[in-house]
Amino acid sequence: MPDQNLCSVNLLPIGFWKNASIVEPFNLGNSETVLLAFQNYILVLGTSVMIPSALVPLMGGSDGDKAKVIQTLLFVAGINTLLQALFGTRLPAVVGARVAIFTMGSRPYFGLPRMLWHWKRFKDLTVLQRFVHTMRAIQGALIVAASIQIILGYSQVWGLFSRFFSPLGMAPVVGLVGFGLFQRGFPALGNCVEIGLPMLLLVIGLSQYLKNVKPMRDFPIFERFPVLICVTIIWIYSVILTASGAYLDKHAITQHNCRTDRANLISTAPWFKFPYPLQWGPPTFAAGHSFAMMSAVLVSMVESTGAYMAASRLAIATPPPAYILSRGIGLQGIGVLLDGLFGTCTGSTVSVENVGLLGLTRVGSRRVVQISAGFMIFFSMLGKFGAVFASIPLPIYAALYCVLFGLVGSVGLSFLQFTNLNCMRNLIITGLSLFLGISIPQFFNEYWYPARHGLVQTNAGWFNAFINTIFTSPPMVGLIVAVFLDNTLDVENAKKDRGMPWWMKFRTFRGDNRNEEFYTLPFNLSRFFPPT
């Protein structure tokens, strides 16, 4: 790999920077590898706690139920991450709870199309019964919807659809995977400014201004472990504020966001708990719920495709060929099936924040991600120990998201370097897809309030949930606009301007010899999944 400046731009897909690779990142020692893996675990823990904390109370669950769901979610996330790194795309990407569930603030839609806000039909049941009935309905919908994703993936349909993608079409999609999560950034940080703002400044300071400072054996500790160092410092700071009584007379919302003892996870989590399938009882199936969940699965596929593209750039791998995308989407469908069987309360997708961490630390190591999956499984079974880390205030994570989501968004914009930005056609497609990708979901989100659950209101509830879910996802809207315009506006004459000459050689598995190096399955399993 040629030596180059960190700010240089190489027109090859690999060469973003030196000393980072999906295959052999650099000479990592065992201790560095374990710490990097634990850093990934700490980051994915934020979403794993945030989603059940918001959904379980709405479903009628107790603090004990919330702790149990968090353990289950982490356990399944560890399994899905390990499977994806070994047998899926093989990219160093963490698969966890669906992060876009909070793109609408506190209005969840993945896994809960109608059963959550229409749980009044369970009004005659006890609180515990209502929670269990709702969980079973979510499980049934996830199991049915997972089959669609598995079929679209392993049948190569998704790979065939990806033939319409170009660097110009993918730039706004990948960009919106990051930028579309803006509500989880500073608005969430602002819920506790005295914790979130110091965290944001500290992350930027350590990872950027002090990245070349090497106090330990010429090892860039501030560049490799900014999340671990910053979370530890600000977490201790927040513990001191809580213990000193700084929030005793504050509003309940402020105490919930700032205090380290309000999650009630340590006291309710069991010492040891092994999650198992159907632990909430047999799933229940309803056609309306299943159809509505399919829309969330389609949205998840689009967002994961964008995240895979970003991960390949940050891990210095070639863009995933069509066959690899199909394999990853198919295995992700199996992950959603596991979510339905175990009862995680939501579906799985690629963790956008962990993709951003690849760029922040410049470590694209598959081994690090595999070990982090081990941490997820291990701490999910040891409930008390995992609950200690789960007490980290969420504004600390929001500060990290400001940096990591922005980094993923900028990676999407980097695809524009392969296109002709002096072409008015390209400028119109890019600008329109980015603007509408943010503006249309914002318009649909304004119609989510207690009296009305979405803009589209017809007698067919499944249709309402389908349309409302599709158009509240920025990457999904960006994909629809960008891919349609890119494949209908003066296509033949704009082939070079779209960046297709650079893209074409990576479209097939053997189109570039590095594809096989990056994406071949271990244990000679590729013979059972031959490239097509």
Side-chain angles (χ1 to χ4, degrees):
M1 186 180 297
D3 192 15
Q4 55 188 321
N5 187 278
L6 294 182
C7 293
S8 66
V9 176
N10 192 330
L11 293 183
L12 293 174
I14 61 174
F16 241 120
W17 43 66
K18 56 186 178 181
N19 294 335
S21 169
I22 184 177
V23 178
E24 186 62 36
F26 49 86
N27 189 19
L28 282 175
N30 292 331
S31 58
E32 289 87 356
T33 302
V34 172
L35 285 176
L36 286 166
F38 188 73
Q39 184 170 240
N40 272 275
Y41 163 74
I42 289 294
L43 191 57
V44 79
L45 185 64
T47 303
S48 300
V49 172
M50 189 183 304
I51 292 178
S53 297
L55 299 188
V56 172
L58 293 177
M59 297 163 60
S62 63
D63 289 334
D65 296 323
K66 179 173 66 175
K68 188 176 179 181
V69 172
I70 291 173
Q71 287 180 269
T72 304
L73 198 155
L74 277 173
F75 182 80
V76 176
I79 294 176
N80 288 338
T81 299
L82 199 58
L83 290 176
Q84 194 66 243
L86 288 173
F87 310 116
T89 60
R90 302 274 289 156
L91 288 167
V94 173
V95 179
R98 188 164 187 270
V99 74
I101 197 168
F102 285 97
T103 57
M104 299 179 292
S106 61
R107 310 168 192 128
Y109 63 90
F110 193 116
L112 307 174
R114 288 191 299 164
M115 64 281 284
L116 192 62
W117 40 74
H118 289 305
W119 54 263
K120 290 182 179 179
R121 67 192 186 107
F122 300 146
K123 62 183 179 181
D124 295 330
L125 303 176
T126 65
V127 174
L128 177 59
Q129 289 175 326
R130 189 166 66 241
F131 169 76
V132 172
H133 277 68
T134 307
M135 177 64 80
R136 292 177 180 177
I138 296 172
Q139 288 182 260
L142 283 170
I143 291 172
V144 174
S147 62
I148 300 300
Q149 187 165 351
I150 294 172
I151 293 172
L152 290 177
Y154 285 117
S155 67
Q156 303 298 309
V157 172
W158 191 251
L160 291 174
F161 178 68
S162 71
R163 300 285 178 163
F164 295 99
F165 299 165
S166 70
L168 179 65
M170 280 293 98
V173 176
V174 179
L176 289 169
V177 167
F179 297 145
L181 297 170
F182 66 93
Q183 291 185 353
R184 290 190 61 206
F186 208 88
L189 180 154
N191 291 331
C192 190
V193 177
E194 58 268 33
I195 291 177
L197 191 58
M199 180 67 184
L200 177 60
L201 297 176
L202 191 61
V203 171
I204 296 174
L206 261 63
S207 65
Q208 302 305 312
Y209 290 96
L210 299 180
K211 64 182 179 181
N212 294 321
V213 176
K214 303 176 182 178
M216 298 177 58
R217 297 181 291 114
D218 294 329
F219 184 78
I221 183 173
F222 296 133
E223 183 180 48
R224 295 289 184 254
F225 307 108
V227 172
L228 272 184
I229 296 173
C230 296
V231 167
T232 301
I233 293 174
I234 303 300
W235 189 17
I236 294 174
Y237 167 62
S238 61
V239 170
I240 294 174
L241 288 179
T242 300
S244 64
Y247 303 111
L248 289 180
D249 300 325
K250 300 295 183 180
H251 192 275
I253 297 178
T254 301
Q255 295 194 39
H256 174 75
N257 288 293
C258 299
R259 294 180 69 98
T260 58
D261 58 354
R262 281 305 174 93
N264 295 327
L265 293 177
I266 299 177
S267 59
T268 56
W271 282 102
F272 179 84
K273 173 68 177 179
F274 187 82
Y276 55 91
L278 306 181
Q279 58 186 332
W280 310 103
T284 58
F285 299 91
H289 297 165
S290 299
F291 275 109
M293 185 67 71
M294 291 176 189
S295 63
V297 165
L298 292 175
V299 169
S300 176
M301 291 167 59
V302 172
E303 294 172 353
S304 294
T305 299
Y308 286 137
M309 293 291 183
S312 67
R313 291 285 286 161
L314 293 172
I316 311 184
T318 58
Y323 173 76
I324 300 302
L325 279 179
S326 290
R327 194 172 72 190
I329 292 298
L331 189 57
Q332 190 176 311
I334 295 177
V336 175
L337 178 63
L338 293 177
D339 288 319
L341 291 175
F342 280 83
T344 62
C345 197
T346 183
S348 294
T349 189
V350 179
S351 172
V352 180
E353 54 267 42
N354 286 84
V355 171
L357 187 62
L358 296 179
L360 191 66
T361 62
R362 297 196 298 136
V363 178
S365 171
R366 192 183 291 137
R367 179 177 55 176
V368 167
V369 169
Q370 292 168 349
I371 295 175
S372 70
F375 278 120
M376 297 178 212
I377 296 173
F378 177 76
F379 283 111
S380 67
M381 292 186 291
L382 298 180
K384 294 290 186 185
F385 292 98
V388 171
F389 299 110
S391 65
I392 300 173
L394 295 181
I396 292 180
Y397 287 103
L400 291 172
Y401 297 156
C402 290
V403 178
L404 301 178
F405 292 160
L407 180 55
V408 172
S410 65
V411 170
L413 298 183
S414 74
F415 280 97
L416 293 174
Q417 67 181 297
F418 308 114
T419 68
N420 181 9
L421 291 181
N422 292 318
C423 175
M424 186 56 64
R425 169 192 181 274
N426 291 357
L427 294 178
I428 290 175
I429 293 175
T430 303
L432 192 61
S433 56
L434 282 173
F435 184 83
L436 292 181
I438 295 176
S439 185
I440 290 179
Q442 183 66 28
F443 173 68
F444 270 74
N445 290 341
E446 292 175 358
Y447 286 84
W448 288 86
Y449 46 84
R452 189 173 185 181
H453 306 295
L455 175 65
V456 179
Q457 293 290 322
T458 67
N459 293 329
W462 64 270
F463 178 79
N464 300 340
F466 190 93
I467 299 299
N468 289 326
T469 300
I470 291 293
F471 288 100
T472 48
S473 168
M476 188 69 172
V477 175
L479 179 80
I480 294 172
V481 176
V483 173
F484 175 78
L485 294 177
D486 189 35
N487 287 276
T488 55
L489 289 179
D490 198 18
V491 181
E492 290 300 323
N493 296 331
K495 186 174 294 186
K496 185 176 180 180
D497 292 335
R498 300 167 63 203
M500 293 306 291
W502 171 80
W503 191 274
M504 287 299 295
K505 62 180 179 179
F506 308 112
R507 297 286 288 272
T508 59
F509 189 74
R510 292 190 173 90
D512 187 277
N513 56 8
R514 290 164 294 188
N515 284 351
E516 190 170 358
E517 176 187 4
F518 293 139
Y519 300 115
T520 299
L521 293 175
F523 314 120
N524 200 24
L525 291 176
S526 294
R527 69 182 187 274
F528 298 109
F529 301 93
T532 56

